[in-house]
Structure formats: C-alpha cells, structure tokens
Amino acid sequence: MKPAYRLDSRPVARPEAVVRGERYRITVLTEGLVRLEYAQDGQFEDRASTFAINRELPVPQYSVHDRGDHLEVVTARFRLTYDKGPFTTSGLSLAVRGGISSYHSVWRYGTEPDDLGGTARTLDEADGAIPLEPGVVSRNGYAAIDDSGSLVFDDEGWVAPRTDGRQDLYVFAFGHDYAEAITALYAVAGPTPVLPRWALGNWWSRYYAYTAEEYRALLTRFRVEGIPFSVSVIDMDWHVVDVDPEHGSGWTGYTWNRDLFPDPESLLDWLHEHGLRVTLNVHPADGVRSYEEAYPAMAHALGRDPAAGDPIAFDVTDREFLTAYFDVLHRGLEAQGVDFWWLDWQSGPHSRVAGIDPLWMLNHFHYLDNARDGRRGLTFSRYAGPGSHRYPIGFSGDTVISWASLAFQPHFTATASNIGYGWWSHDIGGHFFGTKDDELATRWLQLGTFSPVLRLHSGSNEFTTKEPWSFAPEAAAVMTRFLRLRHRLIPYLHTMNHRAAAGTPLVLPLYYRWPEVEQAYHVPNEYLFGDQLLVAAITEPADARTRLGRVDAWLPEGTWVDVLTDQVYDGDREIHLHRDLSTIPVLAAAGAIVPLDGQEVPGNEPVNPPHLQVLVVVGADGAFTLVEDDGARDGARSRTGLTFSQGSGTLTVTAPEGAVDHLPATRTWTVTFPAAPQSVEPTAAVDGSPVALEVQWEPTRLSVRVDDVPIDSVLEVTLGADPQPARNDVRARLFDLLDRARVEYALKSRVLEVATRDRPLALRAAEIMALELEPALASAVAEVLLAQAD
C-alpha cells in the first residue's frame, strides 16, 4: 500500500503494562482500561486492529497479586479477578472501585453491561427509535468492547482477518467519569480528526436530477435570499443512471451524465468560485462496467483486456483493485473539482474475505486518501463499528419524514458520543414518505442548526423540497434565520471542532457533566452543544390552542439564559419549556461566552471573520479560548482568550497566541449581553486607553461595538461592578403568550390579571392553579410565571 494509506499507530504495549501467563495476557492500558486476551496456542495479537491502534501508552500504577488459583490486578479504578483459565463468567470478573455500588458495579465475562447506548450503522428507513450498539460508558460504571473479530493491519497498512479462536476484550472501568472513558477510548483507538472549517457550514443536498443550469440558478437564488451554504452535495444523478439492463442497475457510476452536466469542470469551478466545496454520491458496490469512460484505463491498470468488456467487480480485499479504484476512478474526477466523496455503499457488511467489512474498508481508505498532501481529510459515509470516529463525517441514512424520526435524533446524536462518534450528519427534514408539514420541517432544521453537521436533504420526489421559500412565509423566515445562524456559529463550532480532536465530542448527553443527578439521564431531547450551550430540541407538534411546542427539560443548578429569547431561568429543577415556531430553547449558564460571526448575513465561505460578535451571559466569571487556523492539517493555529470578570463586569479579549497570518490585521468586536442588566453605562479600552464605542439597546439585550481593534491588542469592554441578568418582564411575556393562544378573550384577561397582580408569587401561582386551565395553557403560563423566584 502507499505510505499515505498507513495509519500512524503504536500497537505494541509497553512490557511493564503486561501480565502474562501461558495462555492469557492482561494489559493494563490506563488506570480504567484493561485489555484481556486468551489464546489456546499462547500466541497473542500485537498488530493494530480496526479498533485499537495505540497500545503503547504510559503505564499506570497497578499491582498484581497471585493467589495461586487466581490473579488479582488492581488499579485506582478497578480490581480484576481471574482464574487463569479460559474466560468464563465465574472465572473472570472486574469490580469498579470508587463510589459505585459494589452490587451493580461488577463486570463478569459473558454478561451484557447495562450501558447507556452508543450508536448504530444507519437510520435507513427508520421511523422512530431503533436499537443502538453499545458504547463505553454505563451507569454501572463498566463497559466492554469485544475486539476478537475485527481486522488487523500489517506493517504496510493492509488488512487481514484475525486468527479464529482467540479472545481479545477491552474493559472500561471508569465509574461515572464518562469523559475519562472517552479519553481512554481515543487514547487506544486514535483521536477524531479536526474537520475542515467549511464542513461546519450548511450543506445543500437533494436527490434530484438537476441540470447544470438549474443548479446554478438554485445556488444563485440562495445567495440572493441571503442563505449561505458551504458544501454542495450532488446526489447520484451526476452520473449516468439509465444503463442497458445487461450491465445491471445504474446505481453505481463514474461517468458524468453530460445531458445534465455538459461541462462538469465549468460547474465545479463556478461552485468553488462561490465559496462551496463539492461532494459527489457514489455507490461502489457494482464495480466498473464496460460503458464507463474510465473502464479502459481501469482494465489496463488491472492487467485485463478492455476489448473483452468483462465487468470489473468491486473487490475491496484486492490491493490492486483498491489502488486502481482511487488512481483511476476518483483521481480524474477530483482533478475536475470534486473535494470529497459521499460513500453510499449498498451491499452489506460482507466481502470475499470473511471478517472484512467493505464499508469499514471504504471509510478507512477513502479518508486516508482524501487526507493526502497535508489536507484535512474528509469522507462521508455510514458508521462501521468502534473506531469509526477516525473517519468523519457520518451519514445517518434515509429516514422517514415523520415526527417520530425527528424525536429520536437528539438522543441518537448525543449517545453516539458514548462510542466517540461525534460527527453525525442527518437528512435534515427527512428523506422519504410522510407528508408536507411546515412545522415539522422547521423544527427539524432548528435541530440541524444545533447538530454536528447541518445537511438539508430529501429523496427522489419532486414534491419533497427543502428550500425555505417552498414553505409558508412564517416557516420560510424562521428557516432562513436559522440557516444564517448556523454560519454565524462557525467561530464557536470550529473551536469545538478542535476540542473534539482533543477528546471531547461537540454533542454530549447531560450526564457527562452531571453524572450523579438522576434527571440528567431522563431528558433525551436535551444535550450539551459544546462547552457553553445547552439545547432542548422541540420534536413534537405545537398544541393547537397555545400554538406552542413543548419540550420536557431539566435545568441544572444556577442561572440560565436562553440566548435566543433572553428569557432567564432559575435552575436545579425539571421544567416544561415552550416556544412558538420561531425558536427553540438554547440555554447558557451565567458566565457563558459564545463567539459568533458578526455578519448578520454571512457568506458561503466560512473564513476567519473580520467582525466577531461575542455573547456574554453575566452573573458569574467565565472564560473561552477562541481557536482559529489556516485550514491546513498541520498548519498555523491561534488562540484568543476571552474572559469575563463578574466582579468588575469586564470582558477582556487578549491578543492571540500563536501565528496570526491567517487572521485579519484588525477586527471589529461586538459584545452582546443577553438579558442585559439595566442602567449600565458601558466603556471600552484598547491596550488600556479608552476608545470610541457604539452602544445599542434592544428590548432585552445590550450590544457594545468597537471597530478596528488591532489583532495584537487587548480589548476590554466594561459594564460596571457585579452585573446581574435582568429580571424577566413577566407581564410582557405572558401577554405575548396569551395573545397568541386560541382561547377565550375573557380567560386571557383573567389569567393576565391574576398572574401580574401585586401579591407574592406563591399566591399568584396558587390562584392560577385554581383557574383549572387546560393542561397545555397551564404549563406554558407556569413556565413564564415561575421562570425566576421572587
């Protein structure tokens, strides 16, 4: 294999980490991760596997106690007990140490751990929840990965199946320290790579036979409407699909359909000039047939006679075929302007060699091929088991257009992080079946905005469109605003992109931060979105009378501000959150700092922006390090510190550390305070000297703008000592809620009068309860009335 196709791996553990007998080997990889092997012939596997590529790790402190008939291996996190024989439920167990129930925290060989779920190969045809493969975290404190059957790599980077009959297990024993379990997973399986910055913007995808002219017109209209896209996904109709039946189906193809795309290079150049990257859909399963333009070159590369016209079968286990697959079939198309590939493999997990999954092979070699020449690699394909996080991005498959499909996706996305798989891309809006539903499409796009990758997509039906203007004006306006917001979030997202490569996925279940709080396990629609935001997706239709969608949520302890509506909440409680179609709950704790692109209407190309807006939630100290780079895989990076001092009410922006050639020479900074305290007089200084500033008050927030700050200067924006979030305007918010509701006018007036009279909150709440409002209205009123204590 080419050197570029070899993984950087260190598969042999240090001898000091190994406890070995004649037929067993125990390797203590970290204080909470142990490898357990049993081989009747006494031969053990030291090659890298599809899961484990790095076993040469710092040796943790551990002790071994040989009790004659059994061994004990003890670390700070576990006590392993083993009878030295073939693995059995009674002879091999591991007890998790430190704060977990001794009854529930004992792993035994052959038992299924009660884990918190991982992810699945695909959501194809899903219409709601599907079973999930296991992850490496559980409430019992342990989890296991059986690596006995996975592929292994030779010294050249090629793959081979395992020797049958050998057992190879990895047991994770981190208790409720879920983040450390993922750290250990990445230590052994390799990190998630940094995505190209442009992958974090909006993707346009539709299974539709566009002509080149239609496609240009569509992208031009998006630009006119102020709707940015950074990735153009061209589905399978880019290639010839109507083929002679003697060749089979037209799903697989490598020849441009020149009836639709007479000049492919021109179209791809045009897309690049307008700030988009391009991926083409490929279904490789049917190989290469004689009608393909690349067939003669492919036949010659494989030593076959092109005149014979024999089909060239797809065989991912053949090195020569795989080399030609890239060098002949893909390289020419890439020279025309294809940036990466959408691998829509269709023929299951089997190949000519038992144990070799073609999907895994495609993901692995496509990613490495795309990452050549110092680029940040990218491929787009389905999940193929533990270790797949090394090959982002995941394509979750063709879901049914339904509320049930939408309702499952927040949970599915978050739990994927339990197996380290942090970059799912869903068919936002759903793929097929269903009916047109403006509300469903809008809620799905709102979820997509706060998902790892936002890719609009729809199936091959002329009516299943996802362009905002194809929906009613209210929905279209909301969709447009959220598509713009996604691009505005890229400074935050790209920082989280680097954080993900360092070991923390973008989207996490709440129990990662609050593992001992029961409620954190029972809010499937709620998740952490980076280290500053908490999102509660609305995935059910609005109540017909209140016209509000609802999500069941839990707010951790502290003060929380919805950065989209400026509503302030006291935490440490379960709550029903209600929103009209224009928004969903996106919450930030006091002290949160969120950088955004300062352009209200960003362009397609998500560059390091010359204007940054920083959201700052007052009420506590906060810090954020903005990471920016030059786009190269091992290129220049800079880190800009953003800190908020609650005592003085000052946001400080420090000069970047690291190289700055990829940054603008000066920057405009807009510092925005959601739920801003009233009666403050902000000031600004650059390098300690006062500077001019522009102050803008909105009904519930304050923005301070400072232009042309040199990139190597220190900016300070000060509100004044100990600022606190403003009190909610309960009357105004209740009036809006009641005005929207389709209930009797007299009842609206009565509710507003009772809720806002000059009496203690407890008495007002009790009287509201006595009104015996219908449940949906009572719940929405209670949210507003009880968001903050008196």
Side-chain angles (χ1 to χ4, degrees), residues 556-598:
E557 187 175 3
T559 299
W560 295 84
V561 176
D562 186 329
V563 297
L564 301 186
T565 66
D566 295 353
Q567 178 95 331
V568 182
Y569 297 90
D570 294 334
D572 193 19
R573 58 179 168 144
E574 296 175 69
I575 188 172
H576 296 156
L577 299 173
H578 307 76
R579 297 293 185 271
D580 65 21
L581 191 62
S582 69
T583 190
I584 61 171
V586 178
L587 302 159
I593 299 173
V594 182
L596 306 172
D597 190 317

Side-chain angles (χ1 to χ4, degrees), residues 395-419:
F395 161 52
S396 68
D398 302 336
T399 51
V400 173
I401 299 171
S402 71
W403 285 99
S405 291
L406 171 60
F408 182 55
Q409 287 192 0
H411 174 71
F412 180 82
T413 307
T415 57
S417 294
N418 293 342
I419 193 64

Side-chain angles (χ1 to χ4, degrees), residues 153-238:
F153 295 100
D154 63 23
D155 291 339
E156 296 181 351
W158 190 240
V159 296
R162 299 257 193 156
T163 301
D164 289 340
R166 297 176 184 170
Q167 293 171 291
D168 190 359
L169 309 175
Y170 292 79
V171 181
F172 292 74
F174 288 90
H176 291 167
D177 194 348
Y178 305 136
E180 277 302 306
I182 301 305
T183 297
L185 170 71
Y186 287 150
V188 172
T192 291
V194 176
L195 302 186
R197 184 184 178 97
W198 45 260
L200 302 171
N202 299 319
W203 297 28
W204 175 257
S205 177
R206 187 184 179 196
Y207 182 14
Y208 185 77
Y210 290 105
T211 66
E213 292 76 13
E214 289 171 335
Y215 206 74
R216 282 190 178 94
L218 173 67
L219 271 297
T220 298
R221 178 161 183 189
F222 279 131
R223 187 174 71 250
V224 171
E225 298 280 349
I227 301 174
F229 284 93
S230 62
V231 176
S232 165
V233 183
I234 305 180
D235 212 317
M236 62 176 289
D237 285 296
W238 71 269

Side-chain angles (χ1 to χ4, degrees), residues 212-213 257-265:
E213 292 76 13
N257 182 341
R258 294 185 184 271
D259 291 335
L260 300 177
F261 303 100
D263 187 354
E265 295 92 336

Side-chain angles (χ1 to χ4, degrees), residues 693-714:
L693 70 163
E694 177 184 322
V695 177
Q696 180 178 354
W697 281 98
E698 298 177 55
T700 57
R701 59 177 49 193
L702 164 67
S703 292
V704 179
R705 173 172 170 150
V706 181
D707 292 328
D708 302 325
V709 178
I711 201 66
D712 58 354
S713 292
V714 175

Side-chain angles (χ1 to χ4, degrees), residues 53 120 127 158 188 203 253 284 314 427 453 469 533 552 563 657 689:
I53 64 173
D127 188 11
W158 190 240
V188 172
W203 297 28
F314 178 86
D427 284 3
V453 174
W469 55 80
L533 297 175
D552 298 340
V563 297
E657 296 180 357
S689 299

